[in-house]
């Protein structure tokens, strides 16, 4: 990755045209070929950029650019669309390159698998008198996240999401229709559990007799799961 702080102007041509007048900016040229133009404000978003597949060519400035004080031109062209980003550099203030190596990727805390595991260990969060039958209970249309039994012999099917939307309600509805055909499980009720449930999803779930449960991930992490520990 090459990081360059330079006084430059930038012109984007292609499906749209855009111009950034002369100013001091950060140019980030990444190993995948992309170029991002950043200012010192505007949050994390670049002012302009070119995404891969693209290539960067360093050009000598023409006579007009030389008269304007341009010392170097970067032309970044998209391989498929032909869109081009032309950076006219007037002064390079800082120029450094680093080999970052292979990135392992983002490991998210609080993904659906974590929520499902914690809820399986703490079924009392769902309600009293419940016991876990199985995680990832198999059905003909896919696995149900959690299957529980209540004191009365009834079954509870739980769909776990980080953010609950209408699609999740539809998914749980299909599971409930299928599970209730099995006399060993019926009657089966549904619980839609998520860290955040959208209002439309909550309305649809309530209309279908599905209970909504908002999960507090931080609180659940702090509850003793009851699993044996060394200390």
């Amino acid at each position: 990755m090459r990081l360059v702080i330079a006084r430059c102007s930038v012109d984007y041509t292609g499906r749209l045209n855009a111009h950034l007048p002369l100013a001091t900016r950060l140019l980030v040229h990444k190993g995948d070929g992309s170029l991002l133009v950043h200012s010192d404000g505007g949050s994390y978003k670049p002012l302009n950029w070119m995404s891969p597949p693209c290539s960067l060519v360093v050009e000598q400035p023409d006579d007009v650019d030389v008269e304007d004080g341009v010392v170097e031109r970067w032309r970044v062209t998209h391989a498929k669309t032909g869109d081009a980003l032309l950076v006219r550099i007037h002064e390079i203030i800082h120029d450094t390159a680093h080999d970052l190596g292979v990135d392992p990727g983002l490991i998210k805390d609080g993904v659906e698998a974590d929520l499902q595991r914690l809820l399986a260990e703490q079924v009392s969060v769902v309600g009293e008198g419940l016991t876990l039958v199985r995680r990832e209970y198999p059905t003909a249309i896919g696995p149900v996240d959690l299957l529980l039994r209540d004191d009365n012999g009834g079954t509870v099917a739980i769909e776990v999401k980080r953010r609950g939307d209408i699609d999740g309600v539809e998914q749980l509805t299909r599971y409930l229709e299928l599970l209730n055909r099995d006399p060993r499980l019926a009657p089966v009720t549904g619980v839609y559990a998520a860290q955040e449930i959208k209002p439309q999803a909550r309305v649809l779930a309530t209309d279908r007799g599905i209970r909504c449960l908002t999960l507090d991930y931080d609180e659940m992490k702090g509850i003793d799961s009851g699993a044996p520990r060394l200390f």
Side-chain angles (χ1 to χ4, degrees):
M1 178 182 291
R2 185 181 177 189
L3 305 174
V4 176
I5 297 175
R7 292 183 63 250
C8 62
S9 64
V10 183
D11 289 280
Y12 192 105
T13 56
R15 289 166 294 180
L16 56 85
N17 296 328
H19 174 69
L20 291 171
L22 183 63
T24 301
R25 300 186 176 93
L26 169 64
L27 307 174
V28 180
H29 185 219
K30 298 172 67 175
D32 60 7
S34 60
L35 181 72
L36 298 89
V37 182
H38 284 274
S39 67
D40 200 21
S43 186
Y44 63 93
K45 292 184 179 180
L47 299 171
N48 215 326
W49 68 93
M50 183 66 73
S51 301
C54 58
S55 58
L56 185 152
V57 176
V58 178
E59 303 176 343
Q60 292 298 317
D62 57 26
D63 293 340
V64 175
D65 283 341
V66 170
E67 290 182 4
D68 289 340
V70 177
V71 297
E72 192 171 281
R73 302 200 320 184
W74 293 6
R75 186 181 299 275
V76 187
T77 307
H78 196 276
K80 295 182 179 179
T81 66
D83 288 13
L85 195 66
L86 179 60
V87 182
R88 291 180 171 88
I89 298 176
H90 290 245
E91 179 187 5
I92 293 180
I93 301 168
H94 177 82
D95 188 349
T96 184
H98 303 272
D99 183 0
L100 303 185
V102 179
D103 192 276
L106 178 65
I107 300 174
K108 295 182 178 179
D109 187 26
V111 296
E112 289 174 13
D114 295 328
L115 290 168
Q116 183 191 122
R117 173 182 55 80
L118 287 170
L119 195 57
E121 295 173 349
Q122 304 164 28
V123 293
S124 60
V125 172
V126 182
E128 297 299 325
L130 294 171
T131 56
L132 177 67
V133 175
R134 179 172 172 175
R135 290 177 58 187
E136 300 289 338
Y137 185 85
T139 76
I141 57 174
V144 178
D145 288 340
L146 297 176
L147 200 71
L148 311 181
R149 283 282 192 185
D150 61 27
D151 286 339
N152 300 319
T155 309
V156 180
I158 304 179
E159 182 64 26
V160 181
K161 300 290 186 184
R162 290 187 69 237
R163 291 180 176 85
D165 55 20
I166 287 178
D167 288 343
V169 178
E170 296 286 1
Q171 182 181 2
L172 181 53
T173 300
R174 292 191 294 270
Y175 288 147
L176 291 172
E177 290 176 354
L178 189 63
L179 293 171
N180 271 301
R181 298 176 192 173
D182 188 339
R184 297 170 302 172
L185 300 176
V188 185
T189 58
V191 174
Y192 194 36
Q195 288 180 278
E196 176 187 348
I197 301 177
K198 294 183 178 179
Q200 300 92 330
R202 190 178 293 275
V203 171
L204 181 61
T206 302
D207 183 67
R208 294 183 177 180
I210 296 171
R211 182 161 70 92
C212 291
L213 176 64
T214 303
L215 301 176
D216 187 330
Y217 179 67
D218 291 333
E219 183 178 345
M220 291 173 69
K221 284 197 301 182
I223 296 177
D224 190 343
S225 67
R229 298 183 180 182
L230 292 177
F231 304 101

